[in-house]
mmCIF file of all heavy atoms in Angstrom:
data_model
loop_
_atom_site.group_PDB
_atom_site.id
_atom_site.type_symbol
_atom_site.label_atom_id
_atom_site.label_comp_id
_atom_site.label_asym_id
_atom_site.label_seq_id
_atom_site.Cartn_x
_atom_site.Cartn_y
_atom_site.Cartn_z
ATOM 1 N N GLY A 211 -6.850 15.114 -23.737
ATOM 2 C CA GLY A 211 -8.302 15.168 -23.699
ATOM 3 C C GLY A 211 -8.859 16.576 -23.726
ATOM 4 O O GLY A 211 -10.052 16.768 -23.934
ATOM 5 N N SER A 212 -8.034 17.587 -23.482
ATOM 6 C CA SER A 212 -8.479 18.977 -23.509
ATOM 7 C C SER A 212 -8.095 19.590 -24.849
ATOM 8 O O SER A 212 -6.920 19.785 -25.134
ATOM 9 C CB SER A 212 -7.823 19.766 -22.361
ATOM 10 O OG SER A 212 -8.302 21.091 -22.351
ATOM 11 N N THR A 213 -9.098 19.845 -25.673
ATOM 12 C CA THR A 213 -8.849 20.384 -27.010
ATOM 13 C C THR A 213 -9.587 21.702 -27.184
ATOM 14 O O THR A 213 -10.394 22.090 -26.338
ATOM 15 C CB THR A 213 -9.350 19.390 -28.078
ATOM 16 O OG1 THR A 213 -10.780 19.292 -27.967
ATOM 17 C CG2 THR A 213 -8.729 18.011 -27.891
ATOM 18 N N ASP A 214 -9.333 22.374 -28.298
ATOM 19 C CA ASP A 214 -10.053 23.606 -28.589
ATOM 20 C C ASP A 214 -11.548 23.352 -28.723
ATOM 21 O O ASP A 214 -12.369 24.182 -28.329
ATOM 22 C CB ASP A 214 -9.527 24.255 -29.875
ATOM 23 C CG ASP A 214 -8.188 24.936 -29.675
ATOM 24 O OD1 ASP A 214 -7.696 24.952 -28.518
ATOM 25 O OD2 ASP A 214 -7.640 25.455 -30.655
ATOM 26 N N LEU A 215 -11.900 22.201 -29.294
ATOM 27 C CA LEU A 215 -13.326 21.864 -29.457
ATOM 28 C C LEU A 215 -13.971 21.414 -28.151
ATOM 29 O O LEU A 215 -15.127 21.711 -27.887
ATOM 30 C CB LEU A 215 -13.493 20.763 -30.503
ATOM 31 C CG LEU A 215 -13.744 21.257 -31.913
ATOM 32 C CD1 LEU A 215 -13.632 20.114 -32.906
ATOM 33 C CD2 LEU A 215 -15.093 21.923 -32.025
ATOM 34 N N TYR A 216 -13.231 20.651 -27.336
ATOM 35 C CA TYR A 216 -13.742 20.148 -26.062
ATOM 36 C C TYR A 216 -12.752 20.496 -24.953
ATOM 37 O O TYR A 216 -12.025 19.629 -24.463
ATOM 38 C CB TYR A 216 -13.965 18.632 -26.139
ATOM 39 C CG TYR A 216 -14.940 18.248 -27.205
ATOM 40 C CD1 TYR A 216 -14.516 17.711 -28.416
ATOM 41 C CD2 TYR A 216 -16.307 18.455 -27.022
ATOM 42 C CE1 TYR A 216 -15.416 17.385 -29.409
ATOM 43 C CE2 TYR A 216 -17.218 18.131 -28.020
ATOM 44 C CZ TYR A 216 -16.767 17.597 -29.203
ATOM 45 O OH TYR A 216 -17.663 17.274 -30.192
ATOM 46 N N PRO A 217 -12.744 21.783 -24.536
ATOM 47 C CA PRO A 217 -11.760 22.197 -23.532
ATOM 48 C C PRO A 217 -12.144 21.717 -22.128
ATOM 49 O O PRO A 217 -13.317 21.601 -21.783
ATOM 50 C CB PRO A 217 -11.809 23.721 -23.617
ATOM 51 C CG PRO A 217 -13.174 24.026 -24.108
ATOM 52 C CD PRO A 217 -13.563 22.894 -25.014
ATOM 53 N N LEU A 218 -11.118 21.435 -21.324
ATOM 54 C CA LEU A 218 -11.284 21.094 -19.920
ATOM 55 C C LEU A 218 -10.651 22.206 -19.087
ATOM 56 O O LEU A 218 -9.673 22.827 -19.519
ATOM 57 C CB LEU A 218 -10.614 19.757 -19.605
ATOM 58 C CG LEU A 218 -11.137 18.540 -20.378
ATOM 59 C CD1 LEU A 218 -10.303 17.301 -20.060
ATOM 60 C CD2 LEU A 218 -12.602 18.296 -20.065
ATOM 61 N N PHE A 219 -11.209 22.442 -17.923
ATOM 62 C CA PHE A 219 -10.742 23.542 -17.076
ATOM 63 C C PHE A 219 -10.477 23.035 -15.669
ATOM 64 O O PHE A 219 -11.124 22.097 -15.204
ATOM 65 C CB PHE A 219 -11.780 24.665 -17.040
ATOM 66 C CG PHE A 219 -12.095 25.206 -18.403
ATOM 67 C CD1 PHE A 219 -13.191 24.739 -19.119
ATOM 68 C CD2 PHE A 219 -11.282 26.159 -18.987
ATOM 69 C CE1 PHE A 219 -13.474 25.229 -20.384
ATOM 70 C CE2 PHE A 219 -11.549 26.653 -20.249
ATOM 71 C CZ PHE A 219 -12.653 26.181 -20.953
ATOM 72 N N GLY A 220 -9.561 23.662 -14.983
ATOM 73 C CA GLY A 220 -9.220 23.229 -13.638
ATOM 74 C C GLY A 220 -9.339 24.311 -12.585
ATOM 75 O O GLY A 220 -9.416 24.016 -11.403
ATOM 76 N N ILE A 221 -9.353 25.587 -12.989
ATOM 77 C CA ILE A 221 -9.322 26.660 -11.996
ATOM 78 C C ILE A 221 -10.665 26.907 -11.330
ATOM 79 O O ILE A 221 -10.732 27.554 -10.302
ATOM 80 C CB ILE A 221 -8.785 27.972 -12.600
ATOM 81 C CG1 ILE A 221 -9.668 28.467 -13.731
ATOM 82 C CG2 ILE A 221 -7.359 27.818 -13.037
ATOM 83 C CD1 ILE A 221 -9.272 29.837 -14.258
ATOM 84 N N CYS A 222 -11.731 26.395 -11.878
ATOM 85 C CA CYS A 222 -13.052 26.646 -11.298
ATOM 86 C C CYS A 222 -13.414 25.607 -10.249
ATOM 87 O O CYS A 222 -13.793 25.941 -9.129
ATOM 88 C CB CYS A 222 -14.113 26.707 -12.384
ATOM 89 S SG CYS A 222 -14.031 25.324 -13.544
ATOM 90 N N CYS A 223 -13.321 24.354 -10.591
ATOM 91 C CA CYS A 223 -13.783 23.278 -9.699
ATOM 92 C C CYS A 223 -12.727 22.208 -9.495
ATOM 93 O O CYS A 223 -13.045 21.126 -8.995
ATOM 94 C CB CYS A 223 -15.064 22.667 -10.239
ATOM 95 S SG CYS A 223 -14.852 21.851 -11.839
ATOM 96 N N SER A 224 -11.494 22.495 -9.904
ATOM 97 C CA SER A 224 -10.396 21.537 -9.777
ATOM 98 C C SER A 224 -10.762 20.206 -10.425
ATOM 99 O O SER A 224 -10.685 19.152 -9.810
ATOM 100 C CB SER A 224 -10.020 21.367 -8.306
ATOM 101 O OG SER A 224 -8.780 20.737 -8.170
ATOM 102 N N ASP A 225 -11.214 20.333 -11.669
ATOM 103 C CA ASP A 225 -11.580 19.171 -12.493
ATOM 104 C C ASP A 225 -12.673 18.313 -11.843
ATOM 105 O O ASP A 225 -12.644 17.104 -11.881
ATOM 106 C CB ASP A 225 -10.347 18.324 -12.808
ATOM 107 C CG ASP A 225 -10.587 17.405 -14.004
ATOM 108 O OD1 ASP A 225 -11.385 17.759 -14.888
ATOM 109 O OD2 ASP A 225 -9.963 16.323 -14.044
ATOM 110 N N GLY A 226 -13.645 18.996 -11.220
ATOM 111 C CA GLY A 226 -14.795 18.309 -10.651
ATOM 112 C C GLY A 226 -14.628 17.871 -9.214
ATOM 113 O O GLY A 226 -15.565 17.344 -8.614
ATOM 114 N N SER A 227 -13.461 18.085 -8.606
ATOM 115 C CA SER A 227 -13.261 17.631 -7.224
ATOM 116 C C SER A 227 -13.913 18.565 -6.207
ATOM 117 O O SER A 227 -14.104 18.184 -5.056
ATOM 118 C CB SER A 227 -11.776 17.463 -6.915
ATOM 119 O OG SER A 227 -11.110 18.703 -7.000
ATOM 120 N N ILE A 228 -14.245 19.782 -6.597
ATOM 121 C CA ILE A 228 -14.942 20.720 -5.714
ATOM 122 C C ILE A 228 -16.367 20.865 -6.230
ATOM 123 O O ILE A 228 -16.594 21.272 -7.365
ATOM 124 C CB ILE A 228 -14.249 22.091 -5.693
ATOM 125 C CG1 ILE A 228 -12.829 21.960 -5.171
ATOM 126 C CG2 ILE A 228 -15.058 23.083 -4.870
ATOM 127 C CD1 ILE A 228 -12.008 23.215 -5.299
ATOM 128 N N GLN A 229 -17.324 20.535 -5.395
ATOM 129 C CA GLN A 229 -18.725 20.627 -5.783
ATOM 130 C C GLN A 229 -19.472 21.456 -4.751
ATOM 131 O O GLN A 229 -19.575 21.060 -3.587
ATOM 132 C CB GLN A 229 -19.348 19.244 -5.910
ATOM 133 C CG GLN A 229 -18.717 18.432 -7.019
ATOM 134 C CD GLN A 229 -19.347 17.062 -7.164
ATOM 135 O OE1 GLN A 229 -20.172 16.654 -6.379
ATOM 136 N NE2 GLN A 229 -18.947 16.353 -8.198
ATOM 137 N N LEU A 230 -19.970 22.589 -5.187
ATOM 138 C CA LEU A 230 -20.742 23.462 -4.306
ATOM 139 C C LEU A 230 -22.219 23.158 -4.467
ATOM 140 O O LEU A 230 -22.674 22.830 -5.566
ATOM 141 C CB LEU A 230 -20.480 24.927 -4.655
ATOM 142 C CG LEU A 230 -19.036 25.408 -4.530
ATOM 143 C CD1 LEU A 230 -18.912 26.839 -5.012
ATOM 144 C CD2 LEU A 230 -18.561 25.287 -3.096
ATOM 145 N N PRO A 231 -22.991 23.300 -3.389
ATOM 146 C CA PRO A 231 -24.430 23.096 -3.535
ATOM 147 C C PRO A 231 -25.022 24.209 -4.395
ATOM 148 O O PRO A 231 -24.505 25.329 -4.427
ATOM 149 C CB PRO A 231 -24.947 23.167 -2.097
ATOM 150 C CG PRO A 231 -23.902 23.922 -1.338
ATOM 151 C CD PRO A 231 -22.605 23.645 -2.023
ATOM 152 N N ALA A 232 -26.080 23.888 -5.079
ATOM 153 C CA ALA A 232 -26.759 24.904 -5.898
ATOM 154 C C ALA A 232 -27.311 25.993 -4.989
ATOM 155 O O ALA A 232 -27.785 25.691 -3.884
ATOM 156 C CB ALA A 232 -27.892 24.260 -6.685
ATOM 157 N N PRO A 233 -27.221 27.246 -5.406
ATOM 158 C CA PRO A 233 -27.777 28.311 -4.565
ATOM 159 C C PRO A 233 -29.295 28.180 -4.512
ATOM 160 O O PRO A 233 -29.910 27.617 -5.427
ATOM 161 C CB PRO A 233 -27.354 29.597 -5.293
ATOM 162 C CG PRO A 233 -27.096 29.181 -6.695
ATOM 163 C CD PRO A 233 -26.657 27.751 -6.654
ATOM 164 N N PRO A 234 -29.900 28.693 -3.450
ATOM 165 C CA PRO A 234 -31.361 28.628 -3.388
ATOM 166 C C PRO A 234 -31.961 29.488 -4.498
ATOM 167 O O PRO A 234 -31.323 30.441 -4.970
ATOM 168 C CB PRO A 234 -31.692 29.199 -2.004
ATOM 169 C CG PRO A 234 -30.510 30.018 -1.631
ATOM 170 C CD PRO A 234 -29.319 29.395 -2.305
ATOM 171 N N PRO A 235 -33.154 29.156 -4.926
ATOM 172 C CA PRO A 235 -33.758 29.968 -5.986
ATOM 173 C C PRO A 235 -34.024 31.382 -5.476
ATOM 174 O O PRO A 235 -34.306 31.577 -4.291
ATOM 175 C CB PRO A 235 -35.070 29.235 -6.294
ATOM 176 C CG PRO A 235 -35.354 28.410 -5.084
ATOM 177 C CD PRO A 235 -34.029 28.085 -4.465
ATOM 178 N N PRO A 236 -33.916 32.370 -6.356
ATOM 179 C CA PRO A 236 -34.180 33.749 -5.926
ATOM 180 C C PRO A 236 -35.675 33.938 -5.662
ATOM 181 O O PRO A 236 -36.499 33.160 -6.149
ATOM 182 C CB PRO A 236 -33.719 34.585 -7.126
ATOM 183 C CG PRO A 236 -33.832 33.673 -8.287
ATOM 184 C CD PRO A 236 -33.563 32.290 -7.769
#
């Protein structure tokens, strides 16, 4: 499912399992 056209990543959010709240607006 991870292709050059539609790449998937794991090092940022562990494939969606880590969800941080949005930062407050500046």
